[in-house]
Amino acid sequence: MARVIKNKELTNTRLATNYGGWMYCDKCNENIGYLCYSTYDRIVLKYKCNCGSEGSVFLDFIDSKTGQEDSTPMNIIKTRFCCPKDNEPLITILDKKVASYEMKITCKSCESIYQKTK
């Protein structure tokens, strides 16, 4: 069943689909990462693309939970940041395509909020 988006704010960024899939910089059209459709509950991402453009993504859903901050580092499995509790893939950020980023992502299954900065 498709989820109902509560907030969707994209700045200088586009998504391949409504709330997931490949993420692209609007200025240079480079692929900057992949947002897994069904495993995240909320994403706040700010990044600077290698082309100089600054972009952001804020997405959550009507049924999103508040979540609890968790300082446990996310696991990296085949370039994807994954929840350390169940190894569900959450997001891929292509380090070669972005100069820097700040991210907070909430796992849908365990409701933990993970942070990552480059």
Side-chain angles (χ1 to χ4, degrees):
M1 179 169 77
R3 299 183 74 193
V4 178
I5 295 174
K6 179 179 176 185
N7 295 294
K8 181 178 182 179
E9 299 171 18
L10 304 175
T11 305
N12 298 324
T13 307
R14 64 184 166 80
L15 294 173
T17 65
N18 194 26
Y19 55 83
W22 295 108
M23 300 182 292
Y24 299 91
C25 170
D26 264 350
K27 183 177 178 186
C28 67
N29 287 317
E30 283 290 332
N31 178 348
I32 60 151
Y34 185 86
L35 182 58
C36 300
Y37 296 91
S38 60
T39 55
Y40 80 95
D41 204 30
R42 183 175 198 265
I43 176 80
V44 178
L45 170 67
K46 294 179 182 179
Y47 68 93
K48 184 170 185 177
C49 182
N50 286 340
C51 74
S53 177
E54 293 186 8
S56 65
V57 175
F58 170 51
L59 282 163
D60 67 355
F61 303 91
I62 287 177
D63 61 349
S64 288
K65 306 291 189 262
T66 303
Q68 294 290 327
E69 300 255 342
D70 191 327
S71 61
T72 308
M74 288 180 281
N75 296 333
I76 299 175
I77 301 172
K78 296 183 179 179
T79 72
R80 292 222 168 120
F81 290 111
C82 300
C83 175
K85 293 181 175 125
D86 60 12
N87 283 329
E88 285 288 333
L90 299 170
I91 192 169
T92 298
I93 301 290
L94 299 174
D95 280 345
K96 295 177 186 175
K97 304 288 180 87
V98 294
S100 61
Y101 64 87
E102 295 176 22
M103 171 180 59
K104 279 188 178 184
I105 191 164
T106 306
C107 177
K108 185 179 175 192
S109 65
C110 73
E111 300 174 15
S112 294
I113 302 168
Y114 301 105
Q115 297 183 48
K116 182 70 177 166
T117 303
K118 172 190 173 189

